[in-house]
Amino acid sequence: MLISGWGRFPVINTRVHTPDSIESAASVISQTGALSFRGNGRGYGDCSLNNSAMVSALGLNLFECFDEDSGVLVAGAGVLLSDIVDSFMPRGWFLSVSPGTCFVSLGGAVACDVHGKDHHVSGSFINSVEFIDVITPDHGLLRASPDEHADLFYATFGGMGLTGMIVRVAIRLKRIYGTSVNQVTTRCANLKEVMECFEHGPSWTYSVAWIDCLQRSQRHLGRSLFMGGEFADEGRETGAGLSFSRKKKLSVPFDFPGFALNSMSVRMFNSLYFNRITSRQKRALVSWESFFYPLDAIENWNRIYGARGFTQYQFVIPKEDAEYRLSAILKTIASSGQGSFLTVLKLFGGSNNPGASRAAHDSKVHWDDYEQRNGGMLSFPQEGYTLALDFAIRPDLFALLEELDQMVEQCGGRLYLAKDSRMSERTFQSMYSGHVEHFLKVKKRYDHAGRINTLQSQRLGLAIWFNRTSHVGYQ
Ligand SMILES: Cc1cc2nc3c(=O)[nH]c(=O)nc-3n(C[C@H](O)[C@H](O)[C@H](O)COP(=O)(O)OP(=O)(O)OC[C@H]3O[C@@H](n4cnc5c(N)ncnc54)[C@H](O)[C@@H]3O)c2cc1C
């Protein structure tokens, strides 16, 4: 079948297996040569694609058990976060860490070690998981946690599905007492003002900013809407079940023509969006859907970028000199005229994985000397500002993105693999240096022949011994 990531670039023709039990998944894996794994296809680029065979986890979609005292849910890796929200939110439970769409699978959330609007409080997905079960090519089904096969655990979070098929996840949910969110939106004239909100404003559990990326003048560069939010707690007193509903979705029925998206239409959209808030600050009680998952309201929204598809460019850079560095990056984007409707800024916290740093002090954990505070070995988050922008695929895009790569690299930053479809091996190895060697050592332990690989892993040198043995970077 023809298949792609959410950005619809690149598209490949391959075989997709969808086993409906862990046993049949193990059997497919043992009988297939080169392969990759797939969740709900919300990764943007080529991170799940393999030209020979792909194994989808969507058939492993059962809730297995839930402990009402601890909030720990054990479920198949093909369960979507939306299934968890629909079933558990009315009972007063929500995801401890959630990305900006709930249409991702548990396995995909683990493989990308996803982050949410509360990274500064909750860390990334690894921090909400007790254990995972993974089918590895060399050792079959294994349970991995900070105490058991810890190397596999930390390599699998952020490991882009390259260590084995995640088949079961034990995730800790958090208690909530309301389904609405108290949201405060602050209008910020420029980058300085929005950074002030992130660093010195009231401390919100959830925070994010939308940026108008086509403003060029120094005065308005980075003008934005900063949104801080807290769950309302209307049910705390009564202990009653929570009111819960989902809005009916709109749908984009066809691919927009290429000319529909140009710097003028993006400029118009940005201006309308920014000016919908007329006062300095607006307080509102909004639904969980509109606060956490605004894009989920529109089905197939990826079609607005046209049939050639699009890519999302997401990077993180350290806090030091961030205003100066982000200004330079935003100016480069604005001058290219290749702006994006959806430009999102967020401040990541310092500790990606407080749980793992505790585990590092536990004498039972003996594996390498990896700094476990980083979460997974290839996890994306690090302390600093992360900016995400969508770009339609067009011939002059790649030169712009290479220029941005250099700027991000010079700041000591890195790109997010879940969004990538074109980064070079050199850039990746430099941005993730110190992490790649640890990861490859562990991958070799569980997949010595490198059977699991994707277009992305081949491009980035994460499948090196598979084709190019002379470049092997592990022991
Ligand atoms: C609108 C939108 C908003 C987003 N917002 C955020 C955000 O705020 N924060 C964030 O971190 N991410 C965000 N993302 C990215 C998304 O959360 C991740 O790409 C997520 O991993 C997608 O999950 P999936 O089930 O669709 O996985 P897929 O796209 O199918 O696969 C993604 C990766 O996971 C691997 N994988 C999937 N399932 C398994 C499995 N069972 N076993 C082994 N490997 C597996 C694949 O091989 C691939 O490498 C967003 C994406 C979209 C479309």
Side-chain angles (χ1 to χ4, degrees):
M1 64 186 278
L2 288 176
I3 194 163
S4 71
W6 185 244
R8 303 166 78 206
F9 169 82
V11 181
I12 62 161
N13 197 343
T14 190
R15 270 181 308 146
V16 179
H17 304 270
T18 308
D20 59 5
S21 68
I22 292 179
E23 294 69 34
S24 52
S27 148
V28 170
I29 291 169
S30 68
Q31 289 165 29
T32 311
L35 79 170
S36 67
F37 303 112
R38 172 93 163 180
N40 206 32
R42 256 38 180 202
Y44 279 71
D46 53 0
C47 61
S48 65
L49 305 182
N50 182 293
N51 280 318
S52 309
M54 293 171 56
V55 183
S56 166
L58 292 184
L60 309 177
N61 57 0
L62 296 179
F63 292 140
E64 295 183 9
C65 58
F66 180 63
D67 180 338
E68 194 78 39
D69 295 324
S70 63
V72 173
L73 167 71
V74 181
V79 163
L80 301 187
L81 300 189
S82 57
D83 300 328
I84 298 178
V85 171
D86 289 352
S87 306
F88 288 90
M89 203 171 201
R91 295 160 67 178
W93 297 95
F94 190 61
L95 302 157
S96 303
V97 171
S98 176
T101 170
C102 59
F103 298 121
V104 314
S105 67
L106 277 174
V110 168
C112 296
D113 193 15
V114 297
H115 57 270
K117 296 177 175 66
D118 56 347
H119 180 272
H120 55 290
V121 176
S122 312
S124 57
F125 204 68
I126 193 171
N127 216 28
S128 66
V129 173
E130 301 276 305
F131 66 81
I132 51 179
D133 287 349
V134 186
I135 303 175
T136 64
D138 293 355
H139 303 285
L141 182 64
L142 296 174
R143 177 148 300 180
S145 73
D147 301 325
E148 208 178 340
H149 300 110
D151 56 348
L152 182 63
F153 186 75
Y154 292 107
T156 300
F157 278 88
M160 307 309 293
L162 298 172
T163 54
M165 182 172 182
I166 303 152
V167 290
R168 182 182 284 124
V169 181
I171 176 184
R172 212 175 318 103
L173 302 181
K174 74 175 200 179
R175 263 260 170 242
I176 51 167
Y177 299 95
T179 56
S180 308
V181 176
N182 283 310
Q183 172 183 285
V184 175
T185 307
T186 308
R187 222 174 117 108
C188 304
N190 50 38
L191 205 52
K192 195 180 183 62
E193 280 190 27
V194 72
M195 291 172 78
E196 191 69 21
C197 287
F198 275 115
E199 293 184 46
H200 306 294
S203 61
W204 296 101
T205 304
Y206 301 103
S207 58
V208 68
W210 166 86
I211 301 243
D212 178 355
C213 69
L214 287 184
Q215 292 298 318
R216 273 197 248 190
S217 73
Q218 195 58 40
R219 242 179 92 214
H220 295 304
L221 191 75
R223 76 170 182 175
S224 38
L225 298 176
F226 172 89
M227 279 150 277
E230 296 294 341
F231 267 113
D233 60 357
E234 66 265 15
R236 190 183 286 274
E237 301 291 296
T238 59
L242 303 184
S243 66
F244 177 84
S245 62
R246 249 188 199 284
K247 286 207 189 86
K248 210 165 163 267
K249 282 199 219 153
L250 300 171
S251 177
V252 177
F254 55 83
D255 293 336
F256 277 27
F259 62 80
L261 194 82
N262 53 47
S263 62
M264 190 127 89
S265 56
V266 174
R267 226 176 272 283
M268 260 171 60
F269 170 88
N270 284 359
S271 183
L272 287 171
Y273 192 80
F274 182 72
N275 288 311
R276 78 199 165 95
I277 307 286
T278 46
S279 52
R280 162 83 179 143
Q281 241 181 21
K282 185 178 170 195
R283 285 170 190 276
L285 188 66
V286 300
S287 74
W288 60 274
E289 269 181 300
S290 82
F291 185 80
F292 289 103
Y293 311 114
L295 286 171
D296 286 354
I298 306 168
E299 231 168 327
N300 308 320
W301 65 260
N302 50 355
R303 288 180 158 179
I304 63 173
Y305 288 93
R308 278 194 293 201
F310 71 109
T311 188
Q312 185 167 95
Y313 190 80
Q314 182 170 3
F315 64 85
V316 57
I317 57 169
K319 259 163 100 177
E320 295 75 51
D321 291 334
E323 188 188 339
Y324 169 74
R325 310 266 198 188
L326 281 172
S327 296
I329 291 172
L330 284 172
K331 272 185 202 155
T332 305
I333 293 165
S335 330
S336 77
Q338 302 195 54
S340 118
F341 295 117
L342 303 162
T343 302
V344 172
L345 183 70
K346 159 103 200 93
L347 180 61
F348 281 153
S351 180
N352 193 37
N353 182 10
S357 67
R358 275 200 307 279
H361 295 109
D362 182 334
S363 58
K364 278 186 281 177
V365 180
H366 297 296
W367 62 278
D368 301 329
D369 53 355
Y370 187 72
E371 174 51 83
Q372 298 190 24
R373 278 168 60 84
N374 287 318
M377 294 179 182
L378 294 183
S379 287
F380 166 67
Q382 64 176 31
E383 183 171 22
Y385 281 96
T386 176
L387 188 74
L389 310 104
D390 290 347
F391 291 103
I393 301 292
R394 46 184 246 197
D396 51 349
L397 173 68
F398 298 95
L400 169 68
L401 298 185
E402 272 164 35
E403 193 180 346
L404 299 181
D405 288 352
Q406 282 180 19
M407 297 172 94
V408 171
E409 192 183 340
Q410 277 163 13
C411 308
R414 56 167 84 132
L415 304 189
Y416 190 9
L417 296 181
K419 313 286 175 80
D420 162 62
S421 53
R422 35 64 51 193
M423 177 179 16
S424 73
E425 175 174 347
R426 195 210 60 74
T427 304
F428 167 71
Q429 298 279 342
S430 156
M431 289 179 173
Y432 283 81
S433 84
H435 302 254
V436 177
E437 306 83 65
H438 287 289
F439 176 79
L440 288 178
K441 228 192 258 182
V442 179
K443 175 162 167 66
K444 196 193 171 200
R445 259 175 232 153
Y446 295 95
D447 178 25
H448 81 281
R451 280 171 54 212
I452 309 171
N453 62 86
T454 58
L455 296 189
Q456 181 181 60
S457 75
Q458 291 162 17
R459 176 165 49 79
L460 300 182
L462 285 171
I464 38 186
W465 67 92
F466 189 67
N467 293 322
R468 289 177 284 158
T469 321
S470 57
H471 290 202
V472 168
Y474 55 82
Q475 291 175 349

